[in-house]
Amino acid sequence: EWKGFVLEYLVFGKGEHPVLCLHGHAKSAEDYLFLEPVLPGCKFISINLFFHGASDLPKEKDFSHPIEVHEWKAIVEQLFLQEKLEEFSIIAYSLGGRWAFNLIQWYPSCIRNVVLMAPDGLNKNGWYHRTSGSRVLRSLFRRIVLKPKGFLTFLNLVRRTRLISERLHQFLFFH
């Protein structure tokens, strides 16, 4: 915990080499548990990103005031101290890739290997910047993340009325 920010993470594996794992949207730190028997030489530190698991922002932050880069850096530095990380690798998927890019930029001499799977943030997306810059749309996104039932019902309705394709429906429903 740092200044009201709570970063939940799992530590598993008995190996010597630390690997920082960052999951994708609507996923969890547990998604990486399968790696333990596959990479026995590693100690995994798998983070639940904010609004996933028990990771949370201070009340004044919420979706109306997104986390700032210097706050993410301070939180990560707390994690590094707590887990005694000096050199590590990163495995990140989708949204986790966006968070990983900062780590790569800040700590290049500490990182041994990086594996990015379908990373978000490689290209600037106008839609993302418009929605993340709007307080109303951030609040709507938070509601969808925390209580997805209404959105999924709406999604099924627009699919049944053929307002969206089956392919788009499947993408939105499962991501």
Side-chain angles (χ1 to χ4, degrees):
E1 188 170 337
W2 177 82
K3 294 188 178 183
F5 290 88
V6 176
L7 189 67
E8 177 187 44
Y9 60 93
L10 305 174
V11 178
F12 54 93
K14 295 176 175 44
E16 294 294 317
H17 180 66
V19 178
L20 203 58
C21 301
L22 302 162
H23 62 79
H25 171 68
K27 301 294 183 183
S28 78
E30 295 171 346
D31 288 355
Y32 291 101
L33 289 172
F34 79 94
L35 290 174
E36 185 175 6
V38 178
L39 299 169
C42 297
K43 170 188 170 185
F44 298 93
I45 300 161
S46 190
I47 296 173
N48 265 323
L49 297 174
F50 296 106
F51 303 108
H52 296 79
S55 292
D56 206 1
L57 303 176
K59 286 186 172 74
E60 65 274 7
K61 280 290 176 188
D62 211 13
F63 262 82
S64 59
H65 298 88
I67 184 170
E68 295 180 32
V69 175
H70 74 274
E71 293 167 327
W72 172 235
K73 187 173 185 181
I75 294 163
V76 167
E77 287 174 356
Q78 283 290 120
L79 172 69
F80 290 178
L81 288 172
Q82 191 167 337
E83 293 300 324
K84 299 175 179 66
L85 291 180
E86 294 178 10
E87 186 178 74
F88 57 94
S89 292
I90 298 172
I91 298 176
Y93 170 68
S94 188
L95 175 65
R98 179 176 288 275
W99 295 84
F101 286 131
N102 286 315
L103 300 175
I104 295 164
Q105 185 178 12
W106 297 330
Y107 308 105
S109 63
C110 299
I111 298 172
R112 284 178 55 185
N113 300 293
V114 176
V115 177
L116 300 176
M117 300 169 285
D120 183 25
L122 282 176
N123 298 317
K124 287 196 175 194
N125 181 315
W127 172 249
Y128 172 81
H129 287 289
R130 281 189 295 282
T131 56
S132 65
S134 163
R135 177 183 261 183
V136 171
L137 293 176
R138 283 194 310 266
S139 294
L140 176 62
F141 179 72
R142 176 181 170 81
R143 179 160 175 76
I144 290 169
V145 168
L146 297 178
K147 297 180 181 179
K149 186 177 179 184
F151 175 73
L152 296 176
T153 301
F154 172 75
L155 201 56
N156 287 333
L157 174 66
V158 295
R159 175 61 198 131
R160 280 195 303 275
T161 58
R162 296 193 171 130
L163 293 173
I164 62 171
S165 69
E166 179 61 28
R167 188 173 179 182
L168 179 58
H169 175 265
Q170 292 296 315
F171 176 79
L172 293 171
F173 198 86
F174 293 105
H175 291 88

